[in-house]
Amino acid sequence: MTQEEVFLAWAPHDSIWSPWVLPVPFAQLNCLDFTRPVANEQVPFIPSWVTNGGREGQGYVVDIPGGDAMRFGILLASSGIRPVPVIDGSPGAGDFYFSQNAEASSKPTWHPNVVVDMTELLKELCQGAALLKDIGLSPAAVPAFLLDADRRIGHRPPQAVIYDNRWQVFAQDFPSAKFLLENGVRGVLLVQERKGQPQEDLAHVLQRWQESGIAIESVGMKDGSMPEAIEITRHSRFRRIWYRALAILRFRRSGTGGFGGFESFRMGSGG
């Protein structure tokens, strides 16, 4: 599949949620032969809170580690829910090649030392693109916004010789509460490894939605819990006009868009 084909599998023209599929990770992603499901792949268990029929008008925000988030997004797609990757971090310097057949290509794959390891996430974008082509989701399917829970801290400490691709989300990365409500989304289920409050950057998004009348629930993938309504904790910097500018200064901007770079090549912050 070409880069465009992979991107369009996740962001088809007929989906109203496609404008929020960030193109950043797809710009460096090459999926060489992902035209079929992986042989003998075990079908994941679908939680009862997805299949219990009580999700009419309910969207999702999935904030678990990147590879798991993409896999869970495809699981949701099999239940008629549109997965929407919101990934604003560059995976590293250079292009990344993935194949179902390890010997299918002689092209090199360079995986430099990075703060946020996105290898599994990228592989799942390839595999998911192959699967989504056959699922045939409705253009009106409710959305599941897929994040990488490791985005702000990463897997190793940032150093001058390591590609720093940490990133965070902003309200501008998501549809407004008005748009959600106009398109039938009246509630959002926050899916994390453990039930509870969202990460601080995501809290700024969910707080806006909740204040506008969207019900927020939380559920944990690892604690066997059922969804429960939560009141998003209001952070002191909520709706501060300088919040986004100061937050961006903590990260490095990538020349290909999104966040990512080496310390010696630190670029000016941008919107």
Side-chain angles (χ1 to χ4, degrees), residues 139-229:
V142 295
F145 301 102
L146 312 178
L147 305 176
D148 183 355
D150 297 319
R151 62 188 175 276
R152 299 169 66 231
I153 298 176
H155 303 93
R156 65 189 71 181
Q159 302 175 27
V161 296
I162 294 180
Y163 191 89
D164 188 353
N165 57 343
R166 293 172 298 161
W167 57 281
Q168 72 176 63
V169 296
F170 299 96
Q172 294 85 348
D173 296 325
F174 296 85
S176 67
K178 181 175 183 291
F179 188 89
L180 291 172
L181 290 166
E182 288 176 345
N183 289 279
V185 179
R186 301 183 298 276
V188 167
L189 178 59
L190 171 62
V191 181
Q192 301 178 116
E193 291 192 312
R194 303 292 178 185
K195 179 169 56 179
Q197 289 291 319
Q199 295 194 52
E200 182 179 350
D201 59 336
L202 182 57
H204 286 259
V205 179
L206 299 184
Q207 180 80 54
R208 290 170 184 255
W209 290 354
Q210 193 166 61
E211 286 189 349
S212 298
I214 293 178
I216 307 295
E217 292 183 307
S218 175
V219 71
M221 294 287 288
K222 289 188 174 181
D223 55 22
S225 62
M226 293 297 291
E228 291 184 8

Side-chain angles (χ1 to χ4, degrees), residues 103-117:
E103 300 179 356
S105 174
S106 59
K107 293 180 179 294
T109 299
W110 179 32
H111 295 285
N113 286 336
V114 293
V115 176
V116 182
D117 185 353

Side-chain angles (χ1 to χ4, degrees), residues 3 11 28 33 37 44 49 69 82 102 125 135 167 190 194 213 255-256 258:
Q3 289 177 335
Q28 298 166 257
D33 63 351
W49 39 264
R82 170 72 64 185
L125 286 178
I135 292 178
W167 57 281
L190 171 62
R194 303 292 178 185
T256 60

Side-chain angles (χ1 to χ4, degrees), residues 126-144:
C126 289
Q127 182 62 56
L131 295 171
L132 283 170
K133 291 191 301 182
D134 297 327
I135 292 178
L137 287 168
S138 165
V142 295

Side-chain angles (χ1 to χ4, degrees), residues 1 5-6 9-10 33-37 74 100 124-135:
M1 289 182 286
E5 288 172 333
V6 175
W10 288 93
D33 63 351
F34 286 82
T35 58
R36 64 197 185 281
I74 295 300
Q100 286 183 318
E124 294 304 325
L125 286 178
C126 289
Q127 182 62 56
L131 295 171
L132 283 170
K133 291 191 301 182
D134 297 327
I135 292 178

Side-chain angles (χ1 to χ4, degrees), residues 203-205 207-208 211 234-240:
H204 286 259
V205 179
Q207 180 80 54
R208 290 170 184 255
E211 286 189 349
R234 187 183 183 94
H235 290 271
S236 61
R237 289 169 287 186
F238 179 62
R239 289 191 182 274
R240 301 290 186 181

Side-chain angles (χ1 to χ4, degrees), residues 27-49:
Q28 298 166 257
L29 178 59
N30 297 274
C31 306
L32 301 180
D33 63 351
F34 286 82
T35 58
R36 64 197 185 281
V38 176
N40 299 321
E41 186 177 63
Q42 184 176 2
V43 178
F45 171 73
I46 301 179
S48 61
W49 39 264

